[in-house]
Amino acid sequence: MDLPTPRGALTETLFGALRSGDDFFAVLSSLPEATPDDAALALWTLHQLHYRDLTGVPEDLEWDPQLLRARAVLERDLEQRLRARYTPPSGVSFTDDLFDWVAEHDGASLATHVHRDATREQVLELTRVRSIYHLMESDPTVWVLPRLGVRAKAGLMELLYDEYGAGNPNRLHHHLFARGMEASGLDASYGTYIDEAPLEVLEQNNAMTLFGLHRRLRGAALGHLASFEATSSLPSRRMVQGLERLGLPQELVDYYAEHIEADAVHEQLAVHVICQALLDEDPRLEADLWFGAFTCLDLEDRFARSMLSRWEIEEAVA
Ligand SMILES: [Fe+2]
Ligand SMILES: [Fe+2]
């Protein structure tokens, strides 16, 4: 993919350095003045080095020590911000109480808006900005796999096998989303719409990759996964109804239809098999399971509010 349009002095400097393969000192020295948008785009781009080709950027920069240093500073700031937003729940057990806790923490809902009121243009805009995650759906979670013990690993592999199409490329979830985009007249090449993505989308993606890439954050990664799966089935049903109301292509409907049933299974697998096995391995990880679960809901709520305010719509709640 092409490098995005810079959003400030940091990404201006970083993208110049990535293209030239040097001058990384300037990147490190422009970190302190970066705005939130600029810092989030810089981290998102540095994470992309681990996933795919960036046009004009040498591949060996993936493990450049100075770029890793810059990535570490940006990740530390992000993690501090995410932890500062979070208050740990008390008197609850992750595997017994997550579903009730999720039900009590419902935030702004884009699916409810799509179901009832969204215009075709709004749904296409949502599809473009969501493509930043959905065209690489599950990829950040795969980093966690080798860090788990036998039972958690087998459970996560079962869930991911389904996400990746159970051996059939046509059932692979991010490919289903790509087909929905193409049928809707959108470009499904990864990253095409990054310049439209608000800060909240960058933060969602950055948080997932941060949790995935750091072994010490495996609890947060799996808590995020559990929360993500537990908030997918019902909204997916609303998305299907909204897309059908607007007459959007069947391929796009199919992506959400797939998630109505799949995620009703995945949420049980995530909580009662994967997270339970992780806790059996190391009960101290319960705190980070909650942190990851909270972060998933909080970032989705922030994203939903940013889109609804972009469209000048009063908050739609589930
Ligand atoms: Fe999926
Ligand atoms: Fe899923």
Side-chain angles (χ1 to χ4, degrees):
M1 61 167 278
D2 291 335
L3 285 169
T5 304
R7 298 193 186 187
L10 172 60
T11 40
E12 197 84 61
T13 310
L14 173 65
F15 298 167
L18 289 173
R19 287 193 185 97
S20 65
D22 60 22
D23 208 18
F24 299 132
F25 185 73
V27 175
L28 288 168
S29 52
S30 53
L31 286 171
E33 298 107 60
T35 62
D37 228 23
D38 197 18
L41 184 64
L43 180 55
W44 181 84
T45 307
L46 288 168
H47 281 161
Q48 293 310 307
L49 290 170
H50 298 290
Y51 290 112
R52 55 184 50 82
D53 279 339
L54 298 174
T55 311
V57 178
E59 282 187 304
D60 60 356
L61 292 185
E62 179 184 356
W63 297 106
D64 180 89
Q66 284 170 298
L67 288 177
L68 291 178
R69 180 80 210 115
R71 197 191 96 187
V73 170
L74 292 163
E75 286 180 334
R76 187 197 58 207
D77 288 352
L78 172 63
E79 187 180 344
Q80 280 176 354
R81 202 162 53 253
L82 297 176
R83 288 195 185 274
R85 293 172 186 165
Y86 163 63
T87 309
S90 59
V92 282
S93 140
F94 190 83
T95 49
D96 291 341
D97 301 320
L98 180 78
F99 295 120
D100 289 342
W101 179 85
V102 163
E104 286 161 19
H105 286 77
D106 245 356
S109 170
L110 289 166
T112 300
H113 177 61
V114 170
H115 181 198
R116 297 182 196 144
D117 304 311
T119 64
R120 188 182 174 89
E121 289 64 38
Q122 288 169 348
V123 171
L124 291 176
E125 185 180 355
L126 185 60
T127 305
R128 293 194 299 272
V129 299
R130 276 207 165 137
S131 72
I132 304 305
Y133 178 63
H134 288 321
L135 287 177
M136 59 178 284
E137 187 176 313
S138 300
D139 288 353
T141 312
V142 181
W143 304 118
V144 185
L145 203 58
R147 285 92 184 252
L148 302 176
V150 171
R151 280 171 47 232
K153 187 180 277 179
L156 182 56
M157 200 63 228
E158 184 182 346
L159 190 153
L160 291 173
Y161 184 64
D162 214 21
E163 298 284 350
Y164 287 102
N168 179 354
N170 291 318
R171 303 306 309 159
L172 195 143
H173 287 188
H174 64 68
H175 184 58
L176 287 178
F177 195 78
R179 292 208 316 214
M181 289 184 79
E182 282 162 3
S184 309
L186 301 173
D187 184 342
S189 331
Y190 189 81
T192 301
Y193 300 109
I194 186 62
D195 290 346
E196 277 188 62
L199 169 65
E200 292 78 10
V201 163
L202 297 174
E203 280 205 332
Q204 284 181 310
N205 284 272
N206 291 349
M208 281 186 271
T209 301
L210 165 72
F211 295 162
L213 283 177
H214 293 263
R215 183 183 172 279
R216 75 179 167 83
L217 292 173
R218 63 199 182 284
L222 295 184
H224 187 290
L225 172 73
S227 213
F228 193 96
E229 300 290 352
T231 50
S232 172
S233 184
L234 184 59
S236 293
R237 187 181 299 281
R238 294 194 172 118
M239 289 297 295
V240 165
Q241 290 165 342
L243 298 178
E244 285 175 341
R245 171 178 68 77
L246 291 164
L248 280 148
Q250 190 58 41
E251 290 86 342
L252 194 59
V253 173
D254 286 346
Y255 169 83
Y256 289 100
E258 169 75 21
H259 286 82
I260 298 173
E261 301 225 335
D263 288 345
V265 176
H266 292 173
E267 65 181 20
Q268 298 298 324
L269 192 53
V271 174
H272 293 301
V273 178
I274 302 168
C275 293
Q276 183 62 61
L278 185 78
L279 287 173
D280 293 343
E281 275 172 38
D282 189 346
R284 292 169 305 174
L285 294 178
E286 175 141 5
D288 265 3
L289 284 175
W290 283 113
F291 166 56
F294 169 84
T295 297
C296 176
L297 296 194
D298 180 55
L299 293 178
E300 179 59 24
D301 179 55
R302 287 167 189 268
F303 168 57
R305 285 173 201 278
S306 86
M307 295 309 287
L308 294 170
S309 85
R310 197 186 259 198
W311 298 328
E312 300 179 346
I313 287 161
E314 299 252 328
E315 183 181 322
V317 288

